[in-house]
Amino acid sequence: MSRPNKGQLPTAPFYLQTNPPPYCRTCGRVISSHSAAAITQDLRSFCSSSCRSRKPAPFDRGIEAEFVNLLREQRVVLCSAVERAIFSTHEENQDAFDKEPPNQAKDSKENQELGMKRAKERERVKCAARRLVVHGFRQNDSAQGGIRFCEAVTEGRVVEPSFAKGDWGVRWRE
């Protein structure tokens, strides 16, 4: 289970197989067969010790809820749309991020920190999307109780969320 190269087509989702591999409860990625075999059954919920120590917080559940709210209005919700909805302060800082002043180390360091912050926020949104795909979203509506699942979509194709590239989105699984 390796990530496809740049020129290769995205892989079909593993969760549709008859014997799907385990998925991490924190990041939603496939737990590799090598690491899954090396650890005991009760620890297979997480792909690494960092994911085990960084379980989804209430804020992360809020990101998942934002995906669900947007899915009620749209057929496909891109990760970037949720990122903008949750972390809206980036629009103000976009100009500062794009324009780097010449030869000013302090501003360069600030831009680097801003870029790292944006990357972490983007990853939090993508982790929430992957969790929705592989673990589902528990609905509290009495009419539609139970767990509802999503699927990862890029360029109109359903893909494995662990290997999705670029700005991908989710839609309800049918």
Side-chain angles (χ1 to χ4, degrees):
M1 287 184 282
S2 62
R3 183 180 173 128
N5 293 333
K6 186 174 182 174
Q8 291 178 319
L9 291 174
T11 59
F14 296 139
Y15 55 81
L16 296 177
Q17 296 175 352
T18 55
N19 190 13
Y23 285 90
C24 181
R25 285 274 175 208
T26 301
C27 67
R29 289 188 173 98
V30 172
I31 299 175
S32 71
S33 57
H34 176 66
S35 63
I39 54 181
T40 63
Q41 179 66 27
D42 22 316
L43 296 178
R44 288 180 70 175
S45 296
F46 304 100
C47 63
S48 65
S49 58
S50 65
C51 279
R52 190 175 299 112
S53 66
R54 237 181 337 115
K55 295 178 179 134
F59 183 75
D60 297 310
R61 299 299 180 197
I63 296 173
E64 292 174 8
E66 183 65 25
F67 267 107
V68 172
N69 289 337
L70 290 174
L71 279 169
R72 290 184 179 129
E73 302 166 4
Q74 305 169 23
R75 182 161 163 73
V76 176
V77 176
L78 295 177
C79 292
S80 60
V82 174
E83 184 182 352
R84 278 191 302 276
I86 299 289
F87 304 105
S88 61
T89 60
H90 290 306
E91 300 304 321
E92 301 161 4
N93 297 330
Q94 185 66 32
D95 292 333
F97 184 78
D98 289 339
K99 294 182 202 172
E100 184 173 327
N103 299 326
Q104 292 185 5
K106 184 178 179 182
D107 288 337
S108 176
K109 182 146 177 84
E110 289 173 4
N111 283 342
Q112 183 179 15
E113 289 173 3
L114 179 62
M116 289 174 58
K117 179 183 174 190
R118 291 182 71 198
K120 287 180 183 177
E121 292 170 351
R122 188 177 306 117
E123 183 57 25
R124 274 184 105 165
V125 170
K126 289 187 178 189
C127 286
R130 285 191 295 264
R131 284 192 305 270
L132 283 175
V133 171
V134 297
H135 301 299
F137 182 80
R138 184 170 302 279
Q139 295 186 341
N140 296 331
D141 302 350
S142 58
Q144 293 182 338
I147 297 177
R148 191 155 182 206
F149 292 91
C150 295
E151 54 190 9
V153 180
T154 183
E155 298 177 6
R157 275 185 282 188
V158 178
V159 297
E160 169 59 40
S162 299
F163 307 134
K165 300 175 185 177
D167 191 19
W168 54 278
V170 295
R171 67 180 181 199
W172 290 122
R173 214 183 290 177
E174 298 171 0

